[in-house]
Amino acid sequence: MAKKPKAETQDAEQGASGVRAVDRAIAILQCFTPDQPAMSVIEIQKRVGLSRPTLYRLLQTLSQRDLIQAEGDPQRFRLSHGVMKLSHVWLKGLEIVAVARPIVEGLREATGETAALFREQDDRGICILECESRHVLSISRGVGHSLSLTQGSSCKAMLAFMDPARQAALISATVPSTERARIEEALTFARHNGYATSHSEIFAGAAAVSAPCFDHRGNVVGSVGLYGPTARIDEQKLLEYSGLVREAGRQISVLLGFQGTEPAVAGPV
């Protein structure tokens, strides 16, 4: 068997070495966490498993690129402002509809019902993406359709996870005192279970279920949901679909940079 030319072999070895160095540098960057934003060399070494000389070389390179900075005595390392520059570029290029579209389309295909994405705008919930059911009998709101944040599963899924002070102000301004107990009960259900439901709130004979979506700061930025006629969506279907929309909300949140846990910690009440 013919041997590879020496130059080609050297190029392959250098390429493999370069890939390993990149992989190791990424491992160093990823070992920092919100709970431990600054670490000593020994602490970093325990997490990435590199020799001390190799680790120091990579830390020096990352420092030169403003991705790592050293501080204090004894010396500790933390992420530097170069990481924020990369984060800013990523956030500027992030468009929730583009990110969520495959997931919303997947919901429609999995259930056969209309799937939609909502976000808040001017204290209202607005539909920004809708994948309509292919059934002859279907429910559709249409992109651009908006409603009060206290109406429908899509808006209640957002309202339930908003800042409590803002939530209270919205309820006080838009909900008659005679209806507030009902709204509070629905929001408590949503916070407890991680999803909101509605029955004939927007359209007579329609059922809907929605879950919240969160951004990289942990703020609720939208909701994803399913809706269709009660002729097809009974309580058992609604419960089944609740798991699907919660998972869809989790997936969208992860793509938006959310690193927390699911808001719901219990089963249905």
Side-chain angles (χ1 to χ4, degrees):
M1 183 172 61
K3 292 184 178 180
K4 290 184 179 181
K6 185 176 181 180
E8 184 178 337
T9 301
Q10 289 176 340
D11 287 345
E13 291 174 350
Q14 290 174 355
S17 176
V19 170
R20 283 197 299 272
V22 171
D23 186 63
R24 290 167 173 174
I26 292 172
I28 292 171
L29 294 174
Q30 291 180 333
C31 78
F32 294 92
T33 66
D35 294 332
Q36 198 166 7
M39 288 184 282
S40 66
V41 168
I42 294 175
E43 290 171 325
I44 297 173
Q45 187 178 20
K46 287 179 179 178
R47 294 199 175 195
V48 298
L50 297 175
S51 68
R52 193 72 62 88
T54 298
L55 180 56
Y56 270 116
R57 285 199 301 271
L58 288 170
L59 287 171
Q60 183 178 15
T61 300
L62 291 169
S63 178
Q64 291 170 349
R65 294 288 184 172
D66 295 323
L67 297 174
I68 291 285
Q69 66 183 48
E71 60 185 19
D73 186 17
Q75 193 176 55
R76 295 176 70 79
F77 294 86
R78 65 170 62 244
L79 298 179
S80 191
H81 63 274
V83 174
M84 181 56 71
K85 289 181 180 179
L86 295 175
S87 175
H88 180 69
V89 172
W90 174 71
L91 288 171
K92 290 292 286 185
L94 198 60
E95 214 289 304
I96 187 170
V97 171
V99 164
R101 184 180 295 278
I103 298 169
V104 177
E105 289 177 346
L107 266 182
R108 190 262 308 273
E109 298 308 314
T111 64
E113 302 298 344
T114 299
L117 181 71
F118 279 72
R119 72 179 307 166
E120 182 202 351
Q121 182 172 306
D122 300 326
D123 291 341
R124 293 178 66 82
I126 183 169
C127 179
I128 57 174
L129 174 64
E130 184 178 75
C131 298
E132 191 174 350
S133 168
R134 296 189 178 96
H135 288 294
V136 174
L137 177 60
S138 63
I139 305 293
S140 175
R141 297 183 191 175
V143 172
H145 180 268
S146 70
L147 63 162
S148 167
L149 283 170
T150 59
Q151 292 181 300
S153 69
S154 53
C155 287
K156 287 184 290 186
M158 292 186 282
L159 184 61
F161 294 94
M162 284 184 181
D163 174 73
R166 182 153 179 260
Q167 181 191 100
L170 283 167
I171 292 173
S172 177
T174 60
V175 180
S177 57
T178 54
E179 292 291 310
R180 288 177 191 172
R182 180 182 63 81
I183 291 296
E184 290 290 355
E185 182 180 358
L187 298 181
T188 298
F189 176 94
R191 285 190 295 271
H192 185 81
N193 294 285
Y195 67 90
T197 62
S198 67
H199 297 81
S200 298
E201 285 189 46
I202 311 303
F203 299 109
V209 57
S210 302
C213 305
F214 301 90
D215 67 8
H216 65 289
R217 295 187 180 91
N219 298 322
V220 62
V221 292
S223 68
V224 59
L226 290 163
Y227 38 84
T230 52
R232 282 196 306 271
I233 305 179
D234 57 16
E235 288 300 323
Q236 185 58 42
K237 275 292 184 187
L238 208 61
L239 184 59
E240 176 187 331
Y241 290 167
S242 70
L244 296 179
V245 298
R246 280 181 57 180
E247 175 59 18
R250 186 196 68 79
Q251 291 177 3
I252 294 170
S253 299
V254 168
L255 292 174
L256 293 176
F258 180 59
Q259 296 183 0
T261 57
E262 281 190 276
V265 295
V269 296

